[in-house]
């Protein structure tokens, strides 16, 4: 069936149903687009057609549905009436659409019979070059009518047509790794647009019918599930911009999981458009939740300096419960699990399912841990502190939410990492009849705690779109990452997206480079980066370095700054650079990111360094306990995430031999010539 963008047709009355039925008979290669801003795209000499129909190989067609009766259009009238004048003005505008030849312009006469259309078709075609068809001809032979008039367009003409009538679907070059392929001849750089499925996802129920919005008590939920690189962030961003611009008096909020991607996205937006709409806010959930909590409590918020501080306090308290065997870190994570799951009584906690937590707790141990949880909370409150996980918990349990900032539209990227308490805090901040738009990649770990959308109270049945094609990376890189993930996880097939590799750029397998020590890895990495910039003439923004725990991160940063200049290296984990690059947006930076916070980032060339332990943890072993299985799955998901940040080339810098499964999906380093 043809793809409709957006799904609802813009024509009024019963025409919409009949047209949708006729055009739906077209096959999957057709896209039926309705311009969102017909008034905005119009000029004195041209107006937007009702629809543009495109076939993957046959070309484009502009289509107008007109209800002018035959009595007003008969040729040779001595005194043409207003209806005929309006009709001819429309034809003049359609003729002026110079992006398409006249043969690719069609007017469907909704109020005329085939015989009547035959009486006037030649007359108006001779004057305006536009073909006329009757309603019956279109409804009975839609494919035949449309195929006869499709006209192929040159790539530049197609890009100009898209830019004129569908500007909201354009992707600024700074937002895509695809520009790496077109580094020569900058004056002829192509323009990039969301593909039909991405654009359809971004415009999914963009505007609910007024009566539905009025009746809705809860937010209308829409979910986009997509593999890595399928454009989820671009889809969410495009939709957020469309909502903000179409509804300037309604507040729009876009929440993302981690600070680096927010900072990176804002820097790219500053380069591409200068400023955001005044009613659009883009932030991390943490920053936003802190502000919501302060609004509720009317007090400053103070959090522990680190997880280590919390774990030290747990160690001081735990002697009262000597039977608790988990480590302090595990106990802290379990207390976070209690808060994230919105458990405020012991009975629900005793009954709570804890799949994939990595360790078991008997009923007696849960009771003791609950007491530890209460004592820890009290000890922190005495010093004016509270756990981070307690912030959304307290927002959700607040009796009076009148002081919360409320939004008409909320969009969540990387939703697979959001906890139940986070979703509930978001829902409490959504106005009645508002919309909640989610983008997620279940392959990156949404199900690690055994959650489901239904268990979170989100009804996504029939409201979900799945994207199986990646546009960021190559087939070789995605196949390697997906193979490693599939070998190490045991998710339900319904929650595991298998990528569609057809039509993708083949590319090269991930490359393995070795050095004798972690210090040597840093030296070689810096040299490899310098060579790419000098010899391949790449921009610094085309490069991304992701580091794991097996590397001296401060030394790595110092070496990069020494070689490329401190003002040209953006360490996304560095405290003073988390929210903005060292010299502000609009510049070119070599980005350095920690493995734990690299989700959502991308670059044409990605180097992974200091990941030796991660590779080892993702390998099978003789241990078959729950803790090892959880560690193995988490390691595989992190590796999948990190690998799929790469657009064209992925390089793994190691100081230890790669495990066999890794080596099989990578390209070994060539032996040095004798």
């Amino acid at each position: 069936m043809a793809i409709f963008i957006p799904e609802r047709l813009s024509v009024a009355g019963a025409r919409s149903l009949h047209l949708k039925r006729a055009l739906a008979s077209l096959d999957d290669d057709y896209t039926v687009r309705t311009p969102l801003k017909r008034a905005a795209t119009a000029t004195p000499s041209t107006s937007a057609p009702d629809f543009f129909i495109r076939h993957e190989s046959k070309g484009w067609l502009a289509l107008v549905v007109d209800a002018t009766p035959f009595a007003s259009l008969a040729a040779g009238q001595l005194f043409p009436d207003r209806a005929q004048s309006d009709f001819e003005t429309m034809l003049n505008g359609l003729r002026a659409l110079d992006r398409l030849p006249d043969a690719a312009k069609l007017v469907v006469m909704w109020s005329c019979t085939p015989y009547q259309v035959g009486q006037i078709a030649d007359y108006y075609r001779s004057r305006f070059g536009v073909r006329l068809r009757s309603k019956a001809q279109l409804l009975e032979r839609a494919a035949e009518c449309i195929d006869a008039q499709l006209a192929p367009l040159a790539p530049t003409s197609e890009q100009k047509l898209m830019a004129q009538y569908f500007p909201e679907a354009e992707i600024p070059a700074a937002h895509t790794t695809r520009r790496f392929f077109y580094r020569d001849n900058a004056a002829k750089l192509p323009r990039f647009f969301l593909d039909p499925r991405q654009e359809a996802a971004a415009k999914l129920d963009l505007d609910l019918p007024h009566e539905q919005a009025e009746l809705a008590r809860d937010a209308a939920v829409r979910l986009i599930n997509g593999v890595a690189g399928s454009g989820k962030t671009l889809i969410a961003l495009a939709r957020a911009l469309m909502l903000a611009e179409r509804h300037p008096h309604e507040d729009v909020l876009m929440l993302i999981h981690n600070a680096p991607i927010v900072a990176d996205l804002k820097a790219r937006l500053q380069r591409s458009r200068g400023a955001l709409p005044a009613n659009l806010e883009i932030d991390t959930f943490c920053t936003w939740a802190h502000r919501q909590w302060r609004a509720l409590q009317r007090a400053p918020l103070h959090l522990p300096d680190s997880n280590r501080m919390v774990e030290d306090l747990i160690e001081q308290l735990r002697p009262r419960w000597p039977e608790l065997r988990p480590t302090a870190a595990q106990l802290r994570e379990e207390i976070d699990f209690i808060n994230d799951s919105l458990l405020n009584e012991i009975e629900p906690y005793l009954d709570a399912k804890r799949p994939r937590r990595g360790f078991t707790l008997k009923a007696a141990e849960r009771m003791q841990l609950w007491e530890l949880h209460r004592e820890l909370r009290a000890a922190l409150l005495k010093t004016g502190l509270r756990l981070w996980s307690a912030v959304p918990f307290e927002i959700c349990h607040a009796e009076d939410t009148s002081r919360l900032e409320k939004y008409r539209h909320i969009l969540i990227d990387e939703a697979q990492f959001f906890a139940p308490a986070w979703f509930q805090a978001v829902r409490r901040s959504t106005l009645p009849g508002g919309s909640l738009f989610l983008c997620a990649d279940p392959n990156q770990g949404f199900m690690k705690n055994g959650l489901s959308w239904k268990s979170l109270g989100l009804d996504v049945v029939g409201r979900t779109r799945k994207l199986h094609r990646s546009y960021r990376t190559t087939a070789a890189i995605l196949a390697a990452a997906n193979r490693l993930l599939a070998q190490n996880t045991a998710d339900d097939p319904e929650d595991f997206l298998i990528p569609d590799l057809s039509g993708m750029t083949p590319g090269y397998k991930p490359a393995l480079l070795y050095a004798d020590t972690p210090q040597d890895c840093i030296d070689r990495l810096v040299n490899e980066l310098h060579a790419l910039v000098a010899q391949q003439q790449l921009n610094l923004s085309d490069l991304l370095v992701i580091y794991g725990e097996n590397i001296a991160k401060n030394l790595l940063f110092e070496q990069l700054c020494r070689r490329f200049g401190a003002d040209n290296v953006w360490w996304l984990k560095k405290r003073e650079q988390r929210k903005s690059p060292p010299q502000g947006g609009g510049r070119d930076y070599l980005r350095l990111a920690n493995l734990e916070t690299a989700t959502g980032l991308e670059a044409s060339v990605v180097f992974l360094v200091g990941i030796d332990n991660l590779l080892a943890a993702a390998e099978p072993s003789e241990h078959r306990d729950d803790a090892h299985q959880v560690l193995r799955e988490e390691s595989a998901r992190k590796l999948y995430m990190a690998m799929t940040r790469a657009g064209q080339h992925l390089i793994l810098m190691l100081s230890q031999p790669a495990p066999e499964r890794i080596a099989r999906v990578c390209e070994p380093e060539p032996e040095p010539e004798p």
Side-chain angles (χ1 to χ4, degrees):
M1 186 179 82
I3 299 173
F4 290 84
I5 309 174
E7 282 196 338
R8 289 187 176 88
L9 299 187
S10 60
V11 294
R15 283 182 288 170
S16 175
L17 178 62
H18 292 299
L19 274 172
K20 185 71 175 283
R21 186 177 299 159
L23 297 178
S25 65
L26 303 174
D27 63 37
D28 295 351
D29 290 333
Y30 291 86
T31 302
V32 181
R33 283 188 174 88
T34 304
L36 290 184
K37 300 180 179 179
R38 299 187 67 203
T41 57
T43 68
S45 61
T46 184
S47 59
D50 291 314
F51 312 106
F52 284 92
I53 300 176
R54 178 182 181 268
H55 184 274
E56 288 287 343
S57 59
K58 298 176 183 178
W60 288 75
L61 167 69
L63 189 147
V64 172
V65 180
D66 189 271
T68 307
F70 175 73
S72 298
L73 300 175
Q77 294 189 63
L78 183 60
F79 300 104
D81 64 12
R82 176 64 181 271
Q84 184 179 23
S85 176
D86 290 345
F87 180 74
E88 293 188 358
T89 299
M90 179 272 293
L91 292 181
N92 261 323
L94 196 57
R95 179 174 58 179
L97 201 172
D98 57 3
R99 306 297 184 200
L100 283 172
D102 287 342
K105 300 167 186 176
L106 174 64
V107 177
V108 177
M109 307 303 298
W110 202 258
S111 301
C112 297
T113 67
Y115 174 78
Q116 291 170 336
V117 170
Q119 294 296 303
I120 60 175
D122 289 341
Y123 172 75
Y124 284 107
R125 184 178 180 186
S126 65
R127 293 183 60 198
F128 301 97
V130 176
R131 296 172 186 262
L132 307 184
R133 291 287 186 271
S134 70
K135 165 188 172 181
Q137 288 172 310
L138 179 72
L139 297 186
E140 293 171 9
R141 302 189 302 276
E144 181 181 331
C145 285
I146 290 167
D147 280 0
Q149 293 188 227
L150 289 168
L153 295 183
T156 53
S157 297
E158 185 170 85
Q159 291 167 16
K160 289 178 180 178
L161 187 148
M162 286 290 297
Q164 179 178 355
Y165 293 100
F166 306 97
E168 70 282 348
E170 184 165 7
I171 305 170
H175 293 206
T176 174
T177 60
R178 281 181 272 176
R179 69 190 189 282
F180 175 78
F181 290 113
Y182 302 94
R183 292 199 47 78
D184 59 331
N185 198 355
K188 295 183 180 179
L189 287 178
R191 303 173 76 163
F192 303 103
F193 297 87
L194 298 172
D195 87 337
R197 286 173 175 77
Q198 292 173 327
E199 188 182 350
K203 296 176 180 177
L204 179 63
D205 291 333
L206 189 62
D207 292 309
L208 283 174
H210 179 73
E211 62 275 10
Q212 289 188 25
E214 289 295 321
L215 291 173
R217 296 182 178 179
D218 204 353
V221 180
R222 300 295 181 266
L223 169 65
I224 306 300
N225 266 346
V227 298
S230 57
K232 297 182 296 299
T233 301
L234 290 176
I235 289 169
L237 179 60
R239 184 181 181 89
L241 291 169
M242 282 187 279
L243 287 168
E245 291 169 353
R246 288 169 66 80
H247 307 288
H249 302 297
E250 298 179 354
D251 289 330
V252 181
L253 173 67
M254 181 174 173
L255 295 176
I256 303 179
H257 174 60
N258 61 341
I261 183 57
V262 172
D264 184 56
L265 186 60
K266 286 183 176 180
R268 292 174 186 240
L269 284 168
Q270 185 173 347
R271 290 168 60 190
S272 63
R273 48 183 298 144
L276 292 177
N279 60 330
L280 172 59
E281 177 185 347
I282 301 176
D283 220 329
T284 64
F285 174 82
C286 296
T287 300
W288 173 78
H290 287 181
R291 190 172 69 248
Q292 291 287 68
W293 186 93
R294 290 193 295 267
L296 275 177
Q297 303 295 333
R298 294 182 176 176
L301 175 62
H302 300 291
L303 303 171
D305 292 334
S306 64
N307 287 336
R308 182 64 187 173
M309 175 183 174
V310 177
E311 291 162 14
D312 288 343
L313 183 54
I314 289 175
E315 290 290 6
Q316 296 174 26
L317 297 172
R318 71 181 299 167
R320 293 177 52 186
W321 302 281
E323 295 84 359
L324 286 177
R325 299 184 179 277
T327 66
Q330 289 175 321
L331 293 173
R332 174 185 57 77
E333 291 174 357
E334 184 70 10
I335 291 170
D336 286 340
F337 167 77
I338 290 173
N339 287 329
D340 288 342
S341 302
L342 293 173
L343 302 173
N344 59 353
E345 300 289 344
I346 189 171
E347 288 79 11
Y349 176 54
L350 294 176
D351 295 332
K353 296 181 180 179
R354 299 177 59 260
R356 307 181 194 179
R357 294 291 301 150
F359 59 96
T360 58
L361 287 173
K362 298 178 181 179
E365 293 173 308
R366 292 200 196 193
M367 296 181 69
Q368 294 173 12
L369 197 145
W370 186 265
E371 291 300 317
L372 172 61
H373 158 56
R374 295 180 59 185
E375 290 295 325
L376 176 66
R377 181 175 180 273
L380 287 171
L381 287 176
K382 284 182 181 179
T383 59
L385 301 175
R386 52 191 15 91
L387 289 174
W388 147 243
S389 61
V391 174
F393 177 91
E394 292 178 11
I395 292 173
C396 295
H397 284 97
E399 293 184 4
D400 181 9
T401 62
S402 60
R403 290 193 293 270
L404 286 177
E405 295 178 38
K406 300 293 179 70
Y407 303 84
R408 178 65 62 184
H409 310 283
I410 299 183
L411 304 93
I412 298 177
D413 191 25
E414 307 291 358
Q416 70 272 9
F417 296 121
F418 274 53
W422 298 21
F423 282 113
Q424 185 60 25
V426 165
R427 295 179 74 173
R428 299 199 88 185
S429 303
T430 308
L431 290 168
S435 65
L436 180 58
F437 188 80
L438 312 175
C439 290
D441 178 1
N443 292 2
Q444 289 191 35
F446 170 72
M447 300 300 292
K448 74 175 185 177
N449 290 326
L451 299 174
S452 66
W453 297 112
K454 184 177 180 180
S455 69
L456 296 174
L458 299 174
D459 181 11
V460 298
V461 177
R463 303 173 181 179
T464 302
R465 294 290 183 274
K466 293 185 178 181
L467 303 176
H468 295 270
R469 300 199 65 181
S470 175
Y471 295 87
R472 174 196 301 142
T473 190
T474 63
I477 293 174
L478 185 57
N482 192 70
R483 181 176 177 184
L484 291 173
L485 181 64
Q487 290 172 343
N488 290 283
T489 58
D491 277 334
D492 188 312
E494 285 297 314
D495 300 308
F496 186 87
L497 292 180
I498 299 175
D500 177 6
L501 304 180
S502 61
M504 290 184 66
T505 302
Y508 301 96
K509 289 183 179 181
L512 290 175
L513 298 184
Y514 289 99
D516 292 336
T517 67
Q519 169 65 56
D520 293 332
C521 271
I522 293 177
D523 294 338
R524 182 167 185 186
L525 170 62
V526 174
N527 290 333
E528 294 284 349
L529 289 168
H530 185 266
L532 282 172
V533 173
Q535 299 172 16
Q536 303 295 326
Q537 298 183 341
L538 297 185
N539 295 323
L540 290 177
S541 57
D542 290 325
L543 308 171
L544 171 65
V545 178
I546 300 176
Y547 64 89
E549 61 181 13
N550 302 117
I551 205 74
K553 56 188 179 183
N554 290 315
L555 178 60
L556 172 60
F557 179 63
E558 291 171 5
Q559 293 275 58
L560 291 173
C561 290
R562 189 175 298 117
R563 181 65 66 92
F564 297 100
D567 290 343
N568 299 318
V569 180
W570 184 6
W571 188 3
L572 291 154
K573 189 68 173 176
K574 193 175 178 65
R575 182 182 294 273
E576 57 269 28
Q577 296 182 9
R578 286 181 180 176
K579 294 187 177 181
S580 64
Q583 295 298 314
R587 287 191 49 179
D588 205 38
Y589 295 98
L590 167 62
R591 289 165 296 156
L592 176 65
N594 177 263
L595 177 72
E596 300 293 334
T597 55
T599 300
L601 298 175
E602 62 178 39
S604 295
V605 182
V606 171
F607 283 82
L608 303 184
V609 62
I611 60 168
D612 301 76
N613 287 356
L614 180 68
L615 297 179
E619 281 291 286
S621 74
E622 296 179 356
H623 300 284
R624 299 185 180 276
D625 55 88
D626 290 343
H628 176 75
Q629 180 61 26
V630 169
L631 176 61
R632 180 181 164 192
E633 286 197 19
E634 288 184 352
S635 300
R637 293 186 191 281
K638 289 178 182 178
L639 188 58
Y640 168 87
M641 179 277 296
M643 293 174 69
T644 54
R645 300 308 93 200
Q648 281 77 45
H649 295 284
L650 173 66
I651 301 96
L652 282 64
M653 299 285 302
L654 306 176
S655 58
Q656 300 291 330
E660 183 181 351
R661 288 194 181 193
I662 302 296
R664 281 204 299 264
V665 299
C666 294
E667 192 71 36
E669 183 174 10
E671 294 290 336
E673 295 183 4

